[in-house]
Amino acid sequence: MPLDFCRRHAPELMLVFFGLIFALVVFAPLEGEVESFLTAALDVALFVILAMLAYLAEDRHRAFRWAAAIWLLVIIGGLAAVTAGFGVMSILPAEAIEDEFNPDSVDLDAAAEVALLLLGILGAAFASLVGFSRRFRVRLARYLPFDPDSFVHRVALVTILALILIPPVPLLVTGVPPYLSPQFIDLLTDSGDLFADTVRLNAYGLFWTLIASFLIAGACVRRTLPEALERLGLVRPTGREVVLAVAAALALVGAFHFIDPALAALVGYLGLPVTDTEAVNLLFAGSLTLPGIIVASIAAGFGEEVSIRGLLQPRFGILLPALLFASLHAYQYSWDGLISVFLAGIVFAYIRRYSNTTTSAITHTVYDLVLFALLMVGVSF
């Protein structure tokens, strides 16, 4: 009986579980490992709650559509607020944001840039809502294998569009990725523990990303665990697939050794900002130990492939997930870096398409591992 109850009410139980985690992290005085472990769940808890509400709207009662729509707007608003915060930090001079805001240190040009940033983020947020238009979805469904009349797919589409459109706005307005702004770099260097314990945090993040991907794919809700594994493209790789993955990763490292400088030259020629590789390397400094690069590579390789290529690609094709994959790096790379990430994402997508997610994840992991290893021994990329 308890098992049958859990199966029938899995979405409600997941809502309670992740809602409780959210409440504990926000309101409870947690400390130590428990705090780190549960805080790592926040990145995915919002999306799991959204997915459970969307499933309930389709499978239980249409009234849940209002709850899902409101929660989706909360997520989009939160993403817009975080992006605006990072963007404003990269615009305002350090003296304007130290201790307390000092309006006298902000000139008219900076104020105008902040206004343009906020308008751009607001416009991107509203543009993502086009996914609620059935006419738009029907046209898009001519090219992508999703159901334009599915409420779950509708919510997923709006979420994907928001994640594609909003993060690049600060780079578009300021010309500098927020994480590479002098203000953020100063914060990073002044706070020695800002990226401390990256091994543990990356491991926790990978755990919650995998859990969330299974739940959003319908595990225990509409699918059994084996069906969810199949839906995500997670299979036991053959020896040939492992060899293919390693060979593809090494080929990518070699190819981008030439592609990245060419992209930087092209972007610079067009008058667009080029990624500051020294600042990027500083962002990764906390992971440059042997355990650090191994865990970071696995976390990125498997976490991003399962959640993007495994979860999204079967419903939304190759292009939209690849754009999302690039957009999520817009806080740390300029346009040349984003194009490079997009191209790598396309390669991972085709590996996923013609083999499986496990193979693309191994490729991604080995690719990152080689790059981190080169960085650890002093070879910049």
Side-chain angles (χ1 to χ4, degrees):
M1 180 66 72
L3 183 59
D4 291 338
F5 177 84
C6 291
R7 287 174 177 171
R8 289 198 307 271
H9 298 283
E12 294 94 328
L13 293 173
M14 290 302 103
L15 281 176
V16 172
F17 178 72
F18 280 93
L20 181 60
I21 289 177
F22 187 82
L24 284 173
V25 172
V26 174
F27 300 109
L30 301 175
E31 294 181 356
E33 290 297 318
V34 174
E35 180 185 18
S36 299
F37 181 66
L38 294 182
T39 300
L42 286 188
D43 288 341
V44 300
L46 300 176
F47 298 102
V48 174
I49 292 172
L50 178 63
M52 295 304 107
L53 291 172
Y55 280 129
L56 286 169
E58 281 196 348
D59 299 340
R60 297 285 198 276
H61 198 283
R62 290 175 62 90
F64 281 104
R65 294 193 175 198
W66 288 103
I70 292 171
W71 192 250
L72 175 58
L73 293 178
V74 168
I75 291 176
I76 294 175
L79 174 64
V82 169
T83 304
F86 282 131
V88 169
M89 178 188 292
S90 65
I91 293 172
L92 298 181
E95 56 269 19
I97 56 179
E98 289 177 352
D99 298 327
E100 58 183 42
F101 179 70
N102 179 14
D104 294 334
S105 61
V106 180
D107 58 27
L108 290 178
D109 290 339
E113 201 168 15
V114 169
L116 182 60
L117 170 75
L118 297 179
L119 285 174
I121 291 174
L122 186 63
F126 274 108
S128 68
L129 301 181
V130 71
F132 282 123
S133 166
R134 188 177 186 278
R135 178 179 296 181
F136 174 78
R137 295 196 308 275
V138 168
R139 290 181 177 178
L140 196 61
R142 296 174 185 172
Y143 310 99
L144 302 178
F146 75 97
D147 181 358
D149 294 317
S150 166
F151 183 75
V152 172
H153 292 177
R154 187 186 319 173
V155 168
L157 177 61
V158 174
T159 305
I160 290 170
L161 292 176
L163 290 170
I164 290 173
L165 296 174
I166 294 176
V169 174
L171 174 61
L172 186 65
V173 172
T174 69
V176 179
Y179 287 175
L180 303 189
S181 66
Q183 295 86 333
F184 190 87
I185 294 297
D186 288 343
L187 177 65
L188 174 63
T189 54
D190 291 343
S191 178
D193 60 348
L194 187 62
F195 287 117
D197 302 321
T198 55
V199 174
R200 183 183 59 190
L201 296 179
N202 282 330
Y204 291 162
L206 174 62
F207 172 82
W208 287 113
T209 299
L210 295 179
I211 293 294
S213 297
F214 273 88
L215 293 174
I216 295 172
C220 304
V221 178
R222 290 182 174 178
R223 295 181 171 91
T224 63
L225 182 58
E227 289 171 342
L229 285 167
E230 181 180 0
R231 164 66 178 80
L232 293 171
L234 291 171
V235 301
R236 188 176 186 176
T238 64
R240 181 177 179 275
E241 287 171 338
V242 172
V243 171
L244 169 66
V246 173
L250 296 177
L252 275 176
V253 172
F256 279 104
H257 178 71
F258 300 98
I259 293 174
D260 286 343
L263 287 174
L266 175 61
V267 167
Y269 176 77
L270 295 175
L272 298 173
V274 177
T275 301
D276 183 346
T277 56
E278 291 186 4
V280 171
N281 294 344
L282 183 60
L283 292 179
F284 294 129
S287 298
L288 296 184
T289 63
L290 185 57
I293 65 172
I294 292 174
V295 174
S297 300
I298 294 173
F302 279 83
E304 292 174 356
E305 291 307 304
V306 172
S307 60
I308 295 178
R309 251 66 65 175
L311 181 62
L312 301 181
Q313 185 172 314
R315 294 292 178 266
F316 296 99
I318 287 176
L319 183 60
L320 283 181
L323 286 172
L324 186 151
F325 179 56
S327 180
L328 294 178
H329 292 77
Y331 297 130
Q332 67 195 56
Y333 295 136
S334 293
W335 297 110
D336 56 319
L338 294 186
I339 296 172
S340 179
V341 171
F342 173 76
L343 294 176
I346 293 293
V347 174
F348 299 144
Y350 275 100
I351 292 174
R352 157 68 167 113
R353 179 175 181 177
Y354 291 108
S355 56
N356 49 66
T357 303
T358 309
T359 304
S360 69
I362 295 173
T363 305
H364 192 158
T365 298
V366 175
Y367 174 73
D368 282 356
L369 184 61
V370 172
L371 293 182
F372 275 127
L374 291 174
L375 185 58
M376 188 171 66
V377 297
V379 179
S380 181
F381 61 90

